[in-house]
């Protein structure tokens, strides 16, 4: 009969590559779990020592020496509590590993068996898979150790249970996308339905370049029911007791209510922006505020992430900017208390046109003149960024990025793209959601027809289908990889589908030069979707 075991899960925000800093943070929480939570076992996420994903840092021999030294330091710095921590480990090969530390010793090290190599994951580039289960006795309880993808495949848990595991500890660096929390719970339910063994799932939290790790660590009982869940999008610690007959006792305050999809996405955006700015050492951000919906949403995300004192906006009107846009931009900036500037681009635009007049003689005005306006604005934003040290947040959404409705070296100029993975229709949903919390975006900004205001009377629908149609086509083509014929068969006009998909394909070169941005979908531009710039695929089908 097993004894009881009190376990603390530490859901922490780590900095990739800061091995020594991460180690000290882990040590602080080990002592807290031992002395404040009276835990007998404390567990940390996947690759906690290095942060996740370390990417090509894993190719550096010095990196592994520092990981090994920090692991040894951690082992010798604690006593009176068992510690399970994720880390890389180089033996004859390189492994994604987890070690049990006890009273100055590394008792056992487990190697991750299932290496994900899809979507944002490319672990097979670096790691070799482990081949066996790891079950260890902790105060009389047989604990099986697994890492992230191991729980998504049936084999690793089955092997651990076959070797006597009565509780599974699963270490994770599981990034957020829409619906991910529900998927995790579903997978753990599948495993417990087969094996009847509780699972403790500890996840990383924080932003790392495009990725956001949402935390939401949780524990399920032998029937797959969620007994307790840690906070979402913030560091948290959660304790529970495993006892006789697979019983679990969790602290009531660690039960986290469900949240809406809009709230979940919005919190992911805030965390992604905050951590990108903080971890890269920027004092704040600069935004080109146009009076439109995209820059308005970007602004409130930045304020919620960083505080109004760290956000600066510049309104850059031209001859085509409406009075409504100027008024709404000023109204929002004033209401949020951010630093606000107005710099007219008209004198610079006139100078450009005059300088180019001989080159343009006999040629009608077209998108060239529109792009000049956007590039002047990009230059002004980057100049103020250089002078102040603040980073430019770009304001383009996924619909625009998909079809190239953005200006390279213009409105695409900047360091980070907060809403890069949000289709336009989702931009509107989040704007409505944020206004339910407080009036953050002027109502007129949400209700007016969207326009780049680079030409007289311009509207987005002059060049694009209505956004509800466009976004559905883009979702099918980009996220579901449907072909033109399949999209048309679903009821969409063949000419519109052909035009949209062609725009997606020919603008790949722009996306390669775009700033990184928060990933919230399963198929974001960048790490998820990798298509050739030069390609003849599909051309004949559109003729």
């Amino acid at each position: 009969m097993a004894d009881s075991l009190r376990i603390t899960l530490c859901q922490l925000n780590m900095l990739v590559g800061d091995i020594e800093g991460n180690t000290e943070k882990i040590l602080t929480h080990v002592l807290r779990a031992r002395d404040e939570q009276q835990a007998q076992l404390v567990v940390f996420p996947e690759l906690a020592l290095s942060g996740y994903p370390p990417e090509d840092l894993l190719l550096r021999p010095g990196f592994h020496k520092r990981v090994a030294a920090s692991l040894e330091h951690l082992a010798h710095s604690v006593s009176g509590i068992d510690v399970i921590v994720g880390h890389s480990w180089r033996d004859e090969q390189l492994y994604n590993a987890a070690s049990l530390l006890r009273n100055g010793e590394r008792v056992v090290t487990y190697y991750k068996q299932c290496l994900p190599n899809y979507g944002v994951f490319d672990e097979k580039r670096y790691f070799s898979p482990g081949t066996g289960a790891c079950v260890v006795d902790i105060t009389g309880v047989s604990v099986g150790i697994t890492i992230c993808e191991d729980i998504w495949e049936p084999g690793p848990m089955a092997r651990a249970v076959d070797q006597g595991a009565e509780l599974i500890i699963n270490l994770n660096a599981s990034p957020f996308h829409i619906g991910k929390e529900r998927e995790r719970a579903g997978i753990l339910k599948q495993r417990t339905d087969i094996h009847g063994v509780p699972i403790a799932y500890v996840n990383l939290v924080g932003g790392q370049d495009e990725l956001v790790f949402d935390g939401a660590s949780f524990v399920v009982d032998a029937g797959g029911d969620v007994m307790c869940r840690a906070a979402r999008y913030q560091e948290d610690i959660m304790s529970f007791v495993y006892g006789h007959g697979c019983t679990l006792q969790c602290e009531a305050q660690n039960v986290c209510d469900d949240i809406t999809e809009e709230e979940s996405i919005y919190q992911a955006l805030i965390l992604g922006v905050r951590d990108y700015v903080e971890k890269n050492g920027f004092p704040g951000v600069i935004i080109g505020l146009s009076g439109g919906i995209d820059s308005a949403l970007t602004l409130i995300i930045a304020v919620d992430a960083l505080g109004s004192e760290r956000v600066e906006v510049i309104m850059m009107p031209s001859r085509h900017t409406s009075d409504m846009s100027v008024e709404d931009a000023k109204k929002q900036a004033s209401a949020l208390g951010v630093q606000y500037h107005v710099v007219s681009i008209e004198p610079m635009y006139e100078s450009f046109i005059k300088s180019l007049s001989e080159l343009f003689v006999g040629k009608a005005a077209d998108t060239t003149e529109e792009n000049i306006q956007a590039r002047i604005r990009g230059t002004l934003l980057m100049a103020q960024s250089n002078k102040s040290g603040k980073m430019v947040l770009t304001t383009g959404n996924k619909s625009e990025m998909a079809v190239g409705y953005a200006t390279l070296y213009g409105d695409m100029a900047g360091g980070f793209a907060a809403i890069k993975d949000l289709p336009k229709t989702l931009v509107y949903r989040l704007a409505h959601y944020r206004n339910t919390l407080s009036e953050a975006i002027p109502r007129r900004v949400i209700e007016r027809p969207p326009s780049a205001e680079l030409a007289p009377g311009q509207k987005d629908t002059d060049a694009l289908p209505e956004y509800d149609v466009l976004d559905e086509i883009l979702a099918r083509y980009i996220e579901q990889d449907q072909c033109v014929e399949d999209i048309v068969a679903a009821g969409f006009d063949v000419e519109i589908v052909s035009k949209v998909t062609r725009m997606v394909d020919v603008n790949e070169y722009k996306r390669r030069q775009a700033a990184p941005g928060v990933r919230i979908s399963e198929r974001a531009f960048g790490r998820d979707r990798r298509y050739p710039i030069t390609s003849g695929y599909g051309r004949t089908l559109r003729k």
Side-chain angles (χ1 to χ4, degrees), residues 266-319:
Y266 193 77
Q267 291 299 322
L269 296 172
I270 289 174
L271 179 55
V273 169
R274 179 189 299 128
D275 271 12
Y276 194 86
V277 172
E278 296 283 1
K279 291 179 178 181
N280 286 290
F282 292 105
V285 297
I286 297 171
I287 299 167
L289 190 63
S290 69
I293 185 69
D294 295 322
S295 63
L297 180 61
T298 301
L299 172 55
I300 188 57
I301 290 169
V303 169
D304 287 344
L306 304 170
S308 59
E309 69 281 358
R310 299 179 66 188
V311 179
E312 181 178 352
V313 298
I314 305 178
M315 175 64 177
M316 296 166 283
S318 75
R319 65 184 67 180

Side-chain angles (χ1 to χ4, degrees), residues 20 91 96 103 130 142 154 164 199 209 217 236 253 278 294 322 334 428 466 512 517:
E20 292 76 17
D91 198 345
N96 184 336
N103 296 327
S142 293
I199 306 170
D209 297 341
S217 303
D236 198 9
Q253 62 265 33
E278 296 283 1
D294 295 322
S322 67
S334 299
Y428 281 105
E466 294 288 347
R512 294 286 184 93

Side-chain angles (χ1 to χ4, degrees), residues 17 201 213 518:
Y201 182 107
F213 299 91
V518 181

Side-chain angles (χ1 to χ4, degrees), residues 4 19 24 27 37 63-64 93 134 183 192 225 302 363 469 541:
S4 65
I19 298 165
E24 291 308 310
L27 179 57
Q37 306 294 320
F63 179 89
H64 302 294
Q93 301 181 80
C134 177
E183 291 176 19
T192 55
D225 293 326
K363 299 176 181 177
V469 174
L541 297 177

Side-chain angles (χ1 to χ4, degrees), residues 455-474:
Q458 186 181 51
K459 294 183 176 63
D460 289 4
T461 50
D462 296 339
L464 302 173
E466 294 288 347
Y467 277 112
D468 56 348
V469 174
L470 176 64
D471 286 351
E472 180 63 25
I473 293 172
L474 293 175

